[in-house]
Amino acid sequence: MLQIVKNNIRQLLSKKGSLFVTLILPIVLFCMSLMLFKTDITEAKWNVAVADEDKSVLSVNLCEKLGGGPNVLSEINREEIDEALADSLYDLAVIIPSGFEKEILSGGEPQISIRSLKAQEVSITYANRANQYINGLISLMNIKDINSAEELIAQSDNMQKSGLKFNMQSTSEEKEKAGIAQGGGFLVYVISLSMFVVGELILSEKRQGTLNRIRQAPVKKLSYVFATFITGLCFLIFNLFSIFIVTNFVIPVEVQPIMYLIWLLYGIAWVFVAMFFALTVGSSRAYSAVSTILSVVFAMLGGSYWPYWLMPDFLQKIAMITPQFWTNTAIYKLLDGKPIADITGNLVALVGFAMLGAALCVFALRRSKSAEAFV
């Protein structure tokens, strides 16, 4: 049987497509997910030109507000704006008209101009900032008796300091958990694909008639199918070991040991499922169609592409018939800090799927009355 395992591994490694799906793709997708969520998203940096024609206390204060963050603010004359934008020296230009301060203190609503040759979101963002600033000042003028620009700015600053603030901060720990959850979902999807590739070895042997050597050995059909299972298990363990190396030395994140057990049980279940269809499906074309449909549809239902709780309730109930659902929900529970006792049902379900797959393989084998029928 060891020779059969070695031959199976050689066959898979000799094909570029099989090599990519079984060994490379699982690690690549998992690493990409971790890197995506560990990468800090920085605010866009814009070069802003300001033509302040009012030169007042409020106009200067507005320029300070617009220049917050990583943006670079430069003051230019109004006549230079069009040429500077055309030469891409600035991303946008803000024109503050004369009489800006006087208009606000009198209760009016001054109009500022924003020009940009870039995408529309650039000008919209700055227009919103300016409108918020102006509307805030006008609201203060309506509710308080304010006679000077300095007093208006002081009242505005006090309101901002004493008002309710909401700060959203993404911590590295939460991003790591999100990366593991997304990477685990992709891993679950790719494992199903790779196990179907391993199961296709049986179809290949049946199609090419190379099982004659098995009859001459002699080796029973059950021994050959078990050797195929061991082949899939070897590739599965290699994938999990590679993830262990990556998460400990390349992209350090905390992956609990129980998660490897969950992925292992899931992979074992899919090895048996793949072998069952390889034993029962008559052609490679039909096998390929079945493997694609089961892998993609079950991954969608089971929460491999997106969190399962985003789906309607009736789809969540349907998803319970898939191994992906029990695998992904177990990972989510562990990432939420739940104890291992809370995923006992998930582990039992995965063991049940594996036993069901093994029973189906035995049933498919017993349907063939002789080695010739298997060939």
Side-chain angles (χ1 to χ4, degrees), residues 172-213:
S172 59
E173 181 180 357
E174 292 301 321
K175 288 195 290 185
E176 286 182 2
K177 290 181 179 180
I180 294 173
Q182 187 63 73
F186 287 146
L187 178 64
V188 163
Y189 166 63
V190 179
I191 283 177
S192 63
L193 290 178
S194 61
M195 293 304 103
F196 271 114
V197 171
V198 173
E200 196 172 4
L201 289 169
I202 297 177
L203 274 179
S204 178
E205 296 283 5
K206 291 166 63 177
R207 183 176 60 252
Q208 298 175 9
T210 53
L211 287 179
N212 289 327
R213 60 178 175 77

Side-chain angles (χ1 to χ4, degrees), residues 57 177 308 334 374:
V57 175
K177 290 181 179 180
Y308 68 94
L334 293 173
F374 181 57

Side-chain angles (χ1 to χ4, degrees), residues 219-252:
V219 179
K220 296 182 179 180
K221 296 176 295 181
L222 184 60
S223 298
Y224 176 76
V225 173
F226 186 71
T228 305
F229 166 76
I230 295 298
T231 303
L233 190 62
C234 290
F235 281 94
L236 179 61
I237 292 175
F238 176 84
N239 288 331
L240 296 181
F241 180 73
S242 300
I243 291 174
F244 174 80
I245 297 297
V246 167
T247 55
N248 282 273
F249 302 104
V250 182
I251 310 176

Side-chain angles (χ1 to χ4, degrees), residues 230-290:
I230 295 298
T231 303
L233 190 62
C234 290
F235 281 94
L236 179 61
I237 292 175
F238 176 84
N239 288 331
L240 296 181
F241 180 73
S242 300
I243 291 174
F244 174 80
I245 297 297
V246 167
T247 55
N248 282 273
F249 302 104
V250 182
I251 310 176
V253 294
E254 185 180 356
V255 178
Q256 302 178 38
I258 188 64
M259 293 182 182
Y260 293 102
L261 176 61
I262 294 171
W263 291 325
L264 180 64
L265 291 175
Y266 169 81
I268 290 174
W270 270 102
V271 172
F272 285 125
V273 170
M275 290 194 303
F276 167 72
F277 282 104
L279 291 168
T280 55
V281 173
S283 65
S284 298
R285 181 176 299 179
Y287 181 82
S288 177
V290 169

Side-chain angles (χ1 to χ4, degrees), residues 23-95:
L23 296 182
I24 300 176
L25 188 59
I27 310 303
V28 170
L29 288 180
F30 194 87
C31 291
M32 288 178 60
S33 299
L34 295 181
M35 294 174 62
L36 176 65
F37 283 92
K38 285 180 72 70
T39 302
D40 293 329
I41 300 176
T42 58
E43 185 180 353
K45 180 180 178 180
W46 293 329
N47 292 320
V48 182
V50 176
D52 185 1
E53 298 180 338
D54 195 44
K55 303 293 184 180
S56 61
V57 175
L58 290 182
S59 64
V60 172
N61 186 254
L62 173 60
C63 292
E64 293 176 356
K65 300 295 183 181
L66 295 178
N71 303 310
V72 178
L73 206 68
S74 303
E75 187 170 349
I76 64 174
N77 295 325
R78 183 168 186 164
E79 295 76 13
E80 302 172 346
I81 289 179
D82 292 337
E83 183 177 355
L85 291 177
D87 294 338
S88 298
L89 299 178
Y90 301 99
D91 296 309
L92 75 157
V94 179
I95 302 175

